[in-house]
Amino acid sequence: MPGQPHRVTLIPGDGVGPEVVRAARRIIEAAGVAIAWEEAEAGAAVFRRGDTSGVPRETRESIERTRTVLKGPLETPVGFGEKSANVTLRKLFETYANVRPARELPGVPTRYAGEGIDLVIVRENIEDLYAGIEHMQTPDVAQCLKVISRKGSEKVIRYAFELARREGRGRVTCATKANIMKLTEGLFKRVFEAIAPEYAADGIAADHLIIDNVAHQLAKNPAQFDVVVTTNLNGDIISDLASGLVGGLGFAPSGNYGDGVAIFEAVHGSAPKYAGKDVINPTALILSSIMMLRHLGETTAADRIEDAILVTLEEGKVMTADLARQAGGDVEHAASTSGFTDEVIANLGRQPGTVRSRSARPAEVGAAGAPVPAGAGAPPPVPHVRWTYGPDAASAVERRTIGVDLFLESWEAPETAGPALEALAGEALRLEMISTRGTMVYPPTGISPDAVGLLRARFVARAAGAEVADAEVLALLGRVAERFRWTHLEKLHVFAGEPGFTKAQGQ
Amino acid sequence: MPGQPHRVTLIPGDGVGPEVVRAARRIIEAAGVAIAWEEAEAGAAVFRRGDTSGVPRETRESIERTRTVLKGPLETPVGFGEKSANVTLRKLFETYANVRPARELPGVPTRYAGEGIDLVIVRENIEDLYAGIEHMQTPDVAQCLKVISRKGSEKVIRYAFELARREGRGRVTCATKANIMKLTEGLFKRVFEAIAPEYAADGIAADHLIIDNVAHQLAKNPAQFDVVVTTNLNGDIISDLASGLVGGLGFAPSGNYGDGVAIFEAVHGSAPKYAGKDVINPTALILSSIMMLRHLGETTAADRIEDAILVTLEEGKVMTADLARQAGGDVEHAASTSGFTDEVIANLGRQPGTVRSRSARPAEVGAAGAPVPAGAGAPPPVPHVRWTYGPDAASAVERRTIGVDLFLESWEAPETAGPALEALAGEALRLEMISTRGTMVYPPTGISPDAVGLLRARFVARAAGAEVADAEVLALLGRVAERFRWTHLEKLHVFAGEPGFTKAQGQ
């Protein structure tokens, strides 16, 4: 794209960040891509100046202009700021899809070498337990809310299918714990199942596996996977697992994609003990910058750089110390970060012998889903949600509130707490059950789980399935509070005829 | 232990269950252990008879007598019963420690063969997201409660250290996501850090790793691990991962330990398509039954059986089809389940050449922590909690309730919802902030995350840190309900001077 340089916000970051970022930048420039870099600050120094976000206003403004970030790792120094600046950046720009390729690299010895691992984990990046909403229910019982939305699920699942289409990948696997968490993980699975048929015509197969089985299969036969889409915490664990199969974090790139903004970074940390020593392996950030170039439509340059790094790794003439150690090479005479970078630059234009750059791989999918041709010059389309969300859609859902779950701090035995709560239920409501940590203890079931000082009492309308008005809920709270310490209340809704709550174990 | 047979409840279970259970029973009897088996029913047939728990009363009563269960896999047929009978059994008898050894076995080819993997994952088995407490907050936003208690954490963490001491293991690693979930996963980590010093004198080292790093390290260098203790979902994922490193579920035993009751089972499912064909590999259940014998104090017999199965695998003369396939053996002439069992029995009394039974391993730890001597004749001690829990301990904690988080179903923009909620806060309270999916959106921060129709409004006392009375909370609810649909309320507590709630991202 002559004449019109891309604008990219470049955040060198902390520790070894500046070195690996410099390596990537030098290679991109050597490949002839015109980028107007806007250097910007985030991380430790920013926190230490008293900015508790770690991301100053000028950096935010730069990203709003450029919409593209290449960044080194950021530190959150102990005692400054409660949240990681890496996470804050992802939240600020709603980069909802964390894309973590794990691909076998030539010259990187692993137990799985030769099996052809080439998978991508697409991790939801905004919600789930990472919303970090925690409340102590009692001095001794902590709670975190796992939040999964239909819209958030749809966005990342569409992203995963679009990625499969773009990269000519033939299968998307959804990984959840829907067998246990039928409403949250189940929602993610149901959205996946609703979207998958739209991509069947592109020849993209879709399946669902339970997350623990995915972890098991990743250890046993990782080459079977193509694209895996999953919720945030699951994705965190299995993407680091997948990195471990193909050489570790030194080779693990990542991209965080939102609607219009994308952030590219290595997965590894700031490794402060190596900072400034020109010894760190820059491969992870170089691979991340290749993802960035593809995002910017610079496919030809991306392929050239990818080929050059594949040649460099394949030949193994120039290795940083970490790789020399893994490969049984000469650690004492290992290459510096800049020496390795020089070698990659020298290899620009060469073709690797054993593997090819990603976009040179023949498409597996049909014509409709052919990969973006090299040099297409436009960023790949970012999927937007296609279903309808908002107040009108929500109002259209037939609904009833049929009761409440009330969480009480209490060490009372169910045999005494039960009748007491029944007596407090009032005329409109009745006590349906009491549970502790999800297991019903009243009415008695023969199960006597260990008490931890937190009971959940479920009250429902005496007339089965009848609506419970707010006034009745408030009156109930008033009565219960006379005798019990309550700390948390959930309404029980029926949406479109489906109960919006689960039963207790044993209920 | 002549004269006094152990009593064990034997649940054949579904699918291949009866075959693998029979194999284990035959071997135990051939080893000369006197067991009075009480055969009992659970699973598919029970569900189909209309018992929604899948575990009939007679089976519960048998377990109450025997306190020990050896069981095959159980099915939950679709349309019968909402909860798995396997889970119900664990809950019924509060088996809070799920113990999952993963050990390199001779003759089982894996990519990690020769590295000496010999680790045990101790997974908390009762609480966490598996309590299954879910509530739809809106038609499009689902929520699951992750619940972690101090008592539940203490029990399983003590169990892990006691196991390390008993088995002469030198290190216990705690795996959490405490960096993100400071109250829940953080509680588990803090309990671990409080207990670990008690075992330092036994030479048991303790460390903490973030769960995603544990997954990464399990792929890269699993032999580094000894005992890993972790919360329920983390443990689910990494224990299946660890099984995948040493040959898969066909070789994965497990024990579920509670205060007095223990349940031993294979990790694999009921594999209905192989049921009754006498082809399934019974190794996993045989290994589980060895764990059971150690639990019953039958250490000598356990060692003999372990040695016999190690000899059988090492020699590879008799292999079931699954192993023949993995090992490149003769699948067509593979051994039957009963043929393999015969071979193990024939090998009783022989010593394997390359590896030794677990208790024959020299103790790593000091005298105080020496392994239970062979034939000690008493079950290993089950750890009880040592801290104080209950109403008196809870009352002793200095506490204040300083506000509430109120969850509203609303698509309103923060700029309009914010002032409206401020106006409804009343005289005693003020609106501190609004967040969506954990990110603050009011007062404005420059972050505009995608709306999903759920807002969380945090109200606190106008007088900073002052107590908020229940009456004020109820009055607030009444006012808010006039204008907003609220669905969920959490009180904000300060316990012993520590905030019992987290800040929002950007707050």
Side-chain angles (χ1 to χ4, degrees):
Chain A
M1 301 204 296
Q4 185 71 296
H6 304 283
R7 301 214 292 191
V8 172
T9 300
L10 190 75
I11 301 177
D14 297 318
V16 298
E19 294 158 73
V20 295
V21 165
R22 192 181 313 123
R25 176 178 176 166
R26 282 183 55 211
I27 294 169
I28 291 169
E29 290 176 350
V33 184
I35 293 186
W37 303 98
E38 297 192 3
E39 234 182 273
E41 210 186 3
V46 180
F47 282 115
R48 290 210 172 85
R49 282 206 307 267
D51 180 331
T52 55
S53 75
V55 184
R57 173 177 300 274
E58 308 81 62
T59 301
R60 300 180 191 201
E61 288 169 354
S62 168
I63 299 170
E64 275 158 22
R65 279 191 300 274
T66 66
R67 318 298 285 166
T68 310
V69 181
L70 183 64
K71 66 178 275 293
L74 306 179
E75 281 168 31
T76 306
V78 176
F80 297 83
E82 196 168 312
K83 305 277 178 177
S84 127
N86 297 303
V87 174
T88 297
L89 267 174
R90 290 175 211 157
K91 296 269 187 184
L92 264 168
F93 297 100
E94 185 93 6
T95 56
Y96 52 82
N98 179 242
V99 176
R100 291 279 300 271
R103 183 184 177 193
E104 179 178 334
L105 293 169
V108 180
T110 74
R111 299 174 188 78
Y112 297 84
E115 299 182 24
I117 295 174
D118 179 11
L119 60 90
V120 181
I121 306 218
V122 180
R123 165 187 171 191
E124 199 287 319
N125 215 15
I126 301 291
E127 50 190 41
D128 197 356
L129 293 155
Y130 288 73
I133 309 168
E134 296 187 285
H135 295 92
M136 295 301 293
Q137 302 287 298
T138 80
D140 288 333
V141 182
Q143 171 194 285
C144 186
L145 302 181
K146 176 184 171 81
V147 177
I148 303 285
S149 74
R150 186 183 306 271
K151 192 178 179 187
S153 301
E154 186 189 353
K155 286 168 81 172
V156 73
I157 289 166
R158 285 201 189 282
Y159 190 92
F161 277 105
E162 291 292 333
L163 178 145
R165 177 142 75 180
R166 206 160 59 231
E167 296 197 354
R169 292 177 177 272
R171 178 181 170 213
V172 180
T173 300
C174 178
T176 76
K177 196 71 194 176
N179 54 333
I180 298 289
M181 288 169 267
K182 294 175 202 291
L183 298 186
T184 48
E185 294 277 304
L187 177 59
F188 196 84
K189 176 171 182 265
R190 288 189 296 277
V191 171
F192 177 83
E193 289 165 346
I195 291 174
E198 297 181 25
Y199 293 86
D202 296 314
I204 302 174
D207 58 0
H208 174 267
L209 291 178
I210 295 296
I211 182 65
D212 38 312
N213 188 23
V214 170
H216 186 73
Q217 297 296 331
L218 278 169
K220 278 201 83 172
N221 179 20
Q224 74 185 283
F225 290 106
D226 202 340
V227 177
V228 180
V229 64
T230 187
T231 49
N232 204 336
L233 179 64
N234 291 339
D236 187 7
I237 296 174
I238 64 167
S239 60
D240 273 9
L241 160 56
S243 301
L245 304 172
V246 293
L249 297 185
F251 300 92
S254 82
N256 299 278
Y257 298 84
D259 287 339
V261 170
I263 301 170
F264 301 89
E265 60 192 340
V267 175
H268 62 67
S270 59
K273 72 173 171 173
Y274 296 115
K277 296 193 176 151
D278 198 24
V279 297
I280 201 80
N281 180 352
T283 302
L285 199 78
I286 297 170
L287 295 175
S288 305
S289 72
I290 294 168
M291 295 174 74
M292 179 185 82
L293 292 176
R294 295 222 163 90
H295 177 72
L296 295 170
E298 292 284 357
T299 320
T300 309
D303 289 351
R304 282 186 77 217
I305 296 173
E306 190 170 356
D307 281 338
I309 197 157
L310 291 172
V311 167
T312 307
L313 294 171
E314 187 177 74
E315 292 187 341
K317 290 191 302 191
V318 176
M319 290 185 195
T320 47
D322 60 311
L323 180 54
R325 205 169 292 116
Q326 286 185 51
D330 185 351
V331 178
E332 283 204 15
H333 300 93
S336 62
T337 307
S338 47
F340 182 84
T341 307
D342 292 341
E343 179 73 5
V344 176
I345 291 171
N347 284 329
L348 282 170
R350 295 183 61 196
Q351 300 283 325
T354 52
V355 285
R356 303 304 304 276
S357 70
R358 178 71 224 174
S359 65
R361 204 178 88 151
E364 283 173 9
V365 302
V372 175
V382 174
H384 288 259
V385 293
R386 290 192 215 154
W387 293 337
T388 306
Y389 301 96
D392 295 343
S395 304
V397 176
E398 186 266 320
R399 62 167 69 212
R400 262 172 311 146
T401 301
I402 62 153
V404 293
D405 275 354
L406 199 50
F407 294 76
L408 313 169
E409 183 181 342
S410 170
W411 289 91
E412 258 186 87
E415 308 87 78
T416 60
L421 286 162
E422 274 176 358
L424 295 166
E427 287 183 12
L429 298 169
R430 68 180 177 86
L431 177 72
E432 185 174 81
M433 63 106 183
I434 302 174
S435 74
T436 174
R437 292 189 292 174
T439 298
M440 183 161 97
V441 290
Y442 186 89
T445 60
I447 311 188
S448 308
D450 204 10
V452 297
L454 180 68
L455 300 177
R456 183 251 310 248
R458 174 164 291 178
F459 294 93
V460 296
R462 282 201 188 271
E467 179 87 27
V468 173
D470 254 28
E472 286 157 14
V473 173
L474 296 190
L476 173 73
L477 281 176
R479 289 192 300 273
V480 170
E482 300 280 309
R483 168 94 160 65
F484 290 91
R485 229 172 205 159
W486 67 276
T487 187
H488 167 180
L489 182 147
E490 300 275 354
K491 288 189 184 170
L492 305 178
H493 305 288
V494 175
F495 291 122
E498 292 288 324
F501 51 87
T502 49
K503 287 187 178 174
Q505 179 79 34
Q507 193 183 358
Chain B
M1 301 205 295
Q4 185 72 297
H6 304 284
R7 302 215 291 190
V8 172
T9 300
L10 190 74
I11 302 176
D14 297 316
V16 298
E19 294 159 74
V20 295
V21 164
R22 192 181 313 125
R25 176 177 176 165
R26 282 183 55 210
I27 294 169
I28 290 169
E29 290 176 352
V33 184
I35 293 186
W37 303 98
E38 297 193 3
E39 237 184 270
E41 210 186 2
V46 180
F47 282 115
R48 289 208 173 87
R49 282 205 306 267
D51 180 330
T52 55
S53 75
V55 184
R57 172 177 301 273
E58 307 82 62
T59 301
R60 300 181 192 201
E61 287 170 354
S62 168
I63 298 171
E64 275 158 22
R65 280 191 299 274
T66 66
R67 316 300 284 167
T68 309
V69 181
L70 183 64
K71 67 177 274 294
L74 306 180
E75 281 167 33
T76 306
V78 176
F80 297 84
E82 195 169 314
K83 307 277 178 177
S84 129
N86 297 303
V87 174
T88 298
L89 266 175
R90 289 175 212 155
K91 297 268 187 185
L92 264 168
F93 297 99
E94 186 92 3
T95 55
Y96 54 82
N98 178 242
V99 176
R100 290 279 301 271
R103 181 183 178 193
E104 180 179 333
L105 293 169
V108 180
T110 74
R111 297 174 189 79
Y112 297 82
E115 299 182 23
I117 295 175
D118 179 11
L119 61 90
V120 181
I121 306 218
V122 180
R123 165 186 171 192
E124 199 287 319
N125 216 14
I126 301 291
E127 49 190 39
D128 197 358
L129 293 155
Y130 289 74
I133 309 168
E134 296 187 285
H135 296 92
M136 296 300 294
Q137 303 287 296
T138 79
D140 288 332
V141 181
Q143 173 195 284
C144 186
L145 301 181
K146 176 184 171 80
V147 177
I148 303 285
S149 74
R150 186 182 307 269
K151 192 177 178 187
S153 301
E154 186 190 350
K155 285 167 81 172
V156 72
I157 290 166
R158 285 200 188 281
Y159 190 91
F161 277 105
E162 292 291 334
L163 179 146
R165 177 142 73 181
R166 206 159 58 230
E167 296 198 354
R169 292 177 177 272
R171 177 181 171 214
V172 180
T173 301
C174 177
T176 76
K177 196 72 195 174
N179 55 333
I180 297 290
M181 288 169 268
K182 293 176 202 291
L183 298 186
T184 48
E185 294 276 304
L187 177 59
F188 195 85
K189 176 171 182 267
R190 287 189 296 277
V191 171
F192 177 83
E193 288 164 348
I195 290 173
E198 297 180 25
Y199 293 87
D202 295 314
I204 301 174
D207 58 359
H208 174 266
L209 291 178
I210 295 295
I211 183 64
D212 37 315
N213 188 24
V214 170
H216 185 73
Q217 297 296 331
L218 278 170
K220 279 202 81 173
N221 180 20
Q224 73 184 283
F225 290 106
D226 202 341
V227 177
V228 179
V229 64
T230 187
T231 49
N232 205 335
L233 180 63
N234 291 339
D236 187 7
I237 296 174
I238 65 168
S239 61
D240 273 9
L241 161 55
S243 301
L245 305 173
V246 294
L249 297 184
F251 301 91
S254 81
N256 300 279
Y257 298 84
D259 288 338
V261 170
I263 301 170
F264 300 89
E265 61 191 338
V267 175
H268 62 69
S270 60
K273 72 173 170 172
Y274 297 114
K277 295 192 177 150
D278 198 24
V279 297
I280 203 78
N281 180 353
T283 302
L285 199 79
I286 297 170
L287 295 175
S288 305
S289 72
I290 294 169
M291 294 173 75
M292 180 185 82
L293 292 177
R294 295 222 163 89
H295 176 73
L296 294 171
E298 292 284 357
T299 319
T300 309
D303 290 350
R304 282 185 78 217
I305 297 173
E306 189 170 357
D307 281 338
I309 196 156
L310 291 172
V311 166
T312 308
L313 294 171
E314 187 177 73
E315 293 186 340
K317 290 191 299 191
V318 176
M319 290 184 195
T320 47
D322 61 312
L323 180 55
R325 206 169 292 115
Q326 285 185 52
D330 185 352
V331 177
E332 283 203 18
H333 300 94
S336 62
T337 307
S338 47
F340 182 84
T341 306
D342 292 340
E343 179 73 7
V344 175
I345 291 171
N347 284 328
L348 282 169
R350 294 183 61 196
Q351 299 285 323
T354 53
V355 286
R356 303 303 304 277
S357 70
R358 178 72 225 173
S359 65
R361 205 178 89 150
E364 283 172 8
V365 303
V372 175
V382 174
H384 287 259
V385 294
R386 289 193 215 153
W387 293 338
T388 307
Y389 302 95
D392 295 342
S395 305
V397 176
E398 186 265 321
R399 60 168 69 212
R400 266 171 309 146
T401 301
I402 63 154
V404 292
D405 276 354
L406 199 50
F407 294 75
L408 313 169
E409 184 181 342
S410 170
W411 289 90
E412 258 186 86
E415 308 87 77
T416 61
L421 286 162
E422 274 175 359
L424 295 166
E427 286 183 14
L429 299 168
R430 68 178 177 86
L431 176 72
E432 185 173 81
M433 62 106 185
I434 303 174
S435 75
T436 174
R437 292 190 292 175
T439 298
M440 183 162 97
V441 292
Y442 186 87
T445 61
I447 312 188
S448 306
D450 204 11
V452 298
L454 180 68
L455 300 176
R456 182 251 310 247
R458 174 164 291 178
F459 295 91
V460 296
R462 282 201 189 270
E467 179 88 27
V468 173
D470 255 29
E472 286 156 15
V473 173
L474 297 190
L476 173 73
L477 280 176
R479 289 191 301 272
V480 169
E482 300 280 308
R483 167 92 161 68
F484 290 92
R485 229 172 205 159
W486 68 275
T487 187
H488 168 180
L489 182 147
E490 300 276 354
K491 287 189 185 171
L492 305 178
H493 305 287
V494 175
F495 291 122
E498 291 288 323
F501 50 89
T502 48
K503 288 187 177 175
Q505 180 79 32
Q507 192 183 0

